[in-house]
Amino acid sequence: MTVDAAEAWFFDKEAGHLVRPYAITNGRTGPVRDGFALITLVVTADPRADTSRMTPEPAAILHLCRERPLAVAEIAAVLDLPVSVVKVLLDDLAEARMILTRAPVELADAPDIALIQAVIEGVRRL
């Protein structure tokens, strides 16, 4: 009998998680690495990875990210966990080389916000 990993820690949907977030992360409040933005994409490194001996939350992350990359914010939303908890779990999975991540691209030559606003105002006046 397989229990859905996302459902494993629920007693009652309305009551919420049975395990507190600090227990899920072993008391850690943040990731060691500082590379997980809300839009960082995550994908499972090996889709055939055995998750049967993992705790429910990391196993659920690996399951969610098998088919296609998901953003950190999407993972947190689907698992109904705080983003800070998901970042700690992702940090552990990255350390174990079970996930691959792609940080958001920084636009070095992005136009100034004031310029964009001026263009918008100009278009509105037309």
Side-chain angles (χ1 to χ4, degrees):
M1 178 176 142
T2 304
V3 175
D4 185 336
E7 300 290 323
W9 291 108
F10 281 104
F11 172 74
D12 181 352
K13 289 270 189 197
E14 293 177 20
H17 292 280
L18 290 176
V19 177
R20 291 282 190 213
Y22 62 81
I24 295 170
T25 62
N26 294 321
R28 290 172 294 150
T29 58
V32 175
R33 305 171 227 277
D34 193 28
F36 297 109
L38 290 176
I39 59 173
T40 298
L41 295 177
V42 179
V43 67
T44 303
D46 180 8
R48 299 176 314 260
D50 181 22
T51 59
S52 63
R53 296 183 182 259
M54 295 178 76
T55 55
E57 294 80 10
I61 291 171
L62 291 178
H63 178 73
L64 286 172
C65 299
R66 282 188 179 161
E67 298 297 319
R68 65 183 180 90
L70 289 177
V72 172
E74 290 177 294
I75 295 168
V78 169
L79 296 181
D80 194 28
L81 289 173
V83 172
S84 58
V85 171
V86 171
K87 287 181 178 182
V88 171
L89 296 173
L90 290 173
D91 192 44
D92 292 343
L93 291 170
E95 178 77 19
R97 298 181 184 199
M98 298 186 83
I99 60 169
L100 302 171
T101 61
R102 180 169 182 183
V105 177
E106 292 188 29
L107 301 174
D109 297 330
D112 186 15
I113 296 293
L115 174 64
I116 294 172
Q117 287 176 338
V119 170
I120 291 170
E121 289 302 317
V123 170
R124 284 185 181 152
R125 279 187 243 134
L126 293 175

